[in-house]
Amino acid sequence: MIADVDVAVCVLEPEVRMRGTPMDPGDPSLLFDDTSAGGNRHEHSGVGQGPDVYPGQALLSHPMSNLAMAYGSSLASHGKEMMDKNLDRFVPISKLKYYFAVDTVYVGKKLGLLVFPYMHDNWDVSYQQDTPVAPRFDVNAPDLYIPVMGFITYILVAGLALGTQNRFSPEILGIQASSALVWLIIEVLAVLLSLYLVTVHTDLTTIDLVAFSGYKYVGMFVEVLAGLLFGRMGYYLSLLWCCVSTFVFTIRTVRLKILSEAAAEGRLVRGAKNQLRMYLTMAIATAQPVFMYWLTFHLVR
């Protein structure tokens, strides 16, 4: 009786298989494919490849892929060279770098020269092998850093002044910035046209004109700030001081570019053409205080 029970238990007990042991795929008792040994199957099927080989790696190691990458890199570098060459025709990047070659010492000296130019004696720009030295080595050299920073500071202080009067809005501030920029462009174009009409050949470039015309933004910033701190009386006093200082600074710097060498050395100016150059220098210097007042008087009340 006991033997019969053992035989029945053996018949009813399911067949137990150890994990990882191979199984006959034709076994009718299998409902799904056995994937527990997939790792071993992968190892056997990937003969000749490491465990970290990806499908795209073989594509990148193909010789044609390397050739395409080299060609693409060469094409990109050639396109960059062409873009830099064409851009330099319209925007002289290499020349602009010269006008921004400044340091802290130069900025401090230049600001002091703009505010108080009366004690400065030597206004000549230093040269090295027929090339003017960088502004950081010569305080007399024109730059664009101070005009750009002066313009930005003037716009910020103008927005502050409008805010204290409850007149601030992004549109008004945009109009203020646009007006200052447009008047600067008009001034530079007018000077270039005047130089062309009087047929004056000078070393004064367009960027030099932008720099000399942009120095007035430093005085405009001082005027508006004085008006905010001390009212209209402070504004008019600072306006008077900054206008005279800017006028003197412009006369002493621009005349070296426009007037003849004899006039630059302080000798008597003779000839109709030299007289026209002197008048043009005076007109450029006189225009600076006019714009300084025109662009600031409505900001102080």
Side-chain angles (χ1 to χ4, degrees):
M1 185 63 179
I2 296 175
D4 295 339
V5 173
D6 293 338
V7 171
V9 171
C10 291
V11 172
L12 296 176
E13 184 179 4
E15 185 175 348
V16 179
R17 179 176 63 86
M18 298 298 294
R19 179 178 179 87
T21 57
M23 180 172 290
D24 185 8
D27 190 354
S29 63
L30 290 177
L31 297 179
F32 302 98
D33 293 337
D34 185 14
T35 60
S36 61
N40 296 332
R41 190 184 303 118
H42 175 73
E43 292 178 2
H44 291 293
S45 62
V47 177
Q49 297 181 359
D52 296 332
V53 176
Y54 302 99
Q57 187 172 352
L59 178 63
L60 292 177
S61 62
H62 197 276
M64 291 301 296
S65 301
N66 295 333
L67 181 61
M69 293 177 61
Y71 178 74
S73 177
S74 175
L75 187 63
S77 61
H78 181 68
K80 183 178 182 299
E81 293 177 359
M82 291 295 295
M83 184 184 67
D84 293 341
K85 181 179 179 180
N86 293 328
L87 184 63
D88 192 67
R89 293 172 56 188
F90 302 100
V91 181
I93 303 298
S94 59
K95 293 182 179 180
L96 287 178
K97 291 180 180 179
Y98 165 82
Y99 290 92
F100 285 94
V102 300
D103 56 9
T104 307
V105 177
Y106 169 84
V107 172
K109 291 182 178 180
K110 194 74 169 188
L111 291 176
L113 191 61
L114 288 170
V115 177
F116 196 83
Y118 310 105
M119 302 300 294
H120 192 66
D121 296 329
N122 184 17
W123 293 87
D124 295 327
V125 178
S126 301
Y127 283 80
Q128 183 178 9
Q129 297 180 354
D130 298 333
T131 302
V133 299
R136 63 174 174 267
F137 300 120
D138 185 12
V139 70
N140 296 323
D143 71 286
L144 286 178
Y145 176 81
I146 292 178
V148 171
M149 292 296 104
F151 177 81
I152 296 175
T153 309
Y154 158 69
I155 296 301
L156 294 177
V157 176
L160 180 61
L162 293 172
T164 56
Q165 302 168 15
N166 296 324
R167 295 190 296 143
F168 176 82
S169 69
E171 292 79 9
I172 296 179
L173 189 62
I175 293 173
Q176 187 72 26
S178 302
S179 300
L181 189 59
V182 168
W183 280 115
L184 176 66
I185 296 174
I186 293 175
E187 179 185 355
V188 172
L189 292 178
V191 174
L192 291 176
L193 180 61
S194 301
L195 290 174
Y196 174 77
L197 293 177
V198 299
T199 63
V200 174
H201 302 284
T202 66
D203 296 333
L204 191 64
T205 64
T206 305
I207 304 179
D208 290 337
L209 283 175
V210 173
F212 291 133
S213 300
Y215 285 132
K216 62 176 171 286
Y217 293 120
V218 176
M220 293 164 60
F221 151 69
V222 174
E223 296 163 15
V224 178
L225 184 61
L228 287 174
L229 297 177
F230 306 107
R232 297 188 66 86
M233 181 59 66
Y235 165 75
Y236 282 114
L237 289 177
S238 62
L239 174 66
L240 178 61
W241 180 271
C242 293
C243 286
V244 175
S245 299
T246 305
F247 179 84
V248 174
F249 173 84
T250 306
I251 284 288
R252 294 184 177 181
T253 53
V254 176
R255 75 183 181 91
L256 297 178
K257 295 284 187 177
I258 295 182
L259 295 180
S260 62
E261 295 182 0
E265 293 175 0
R267 296 198 298 266
L268 184 62
V269 178
R270 295 185 178 91
K273 184 171 292 188
N274 283 338
Q275 291 290 339
L276 289 176
R277 293 179 180 181
M278 186 177 64
Y279 293 150
L280 182 59
T281 303
M282 294 291 296
I284 295 174
T286 305
Q288 306 308 310
V290 174
F291 286 117
M292 293 172 67
Y293 172 75
W294 178 257
L295 295 173
T296 57
F297 77 96
H298 61 282
L299 296 175
V300 179
R301 291 185 177 180

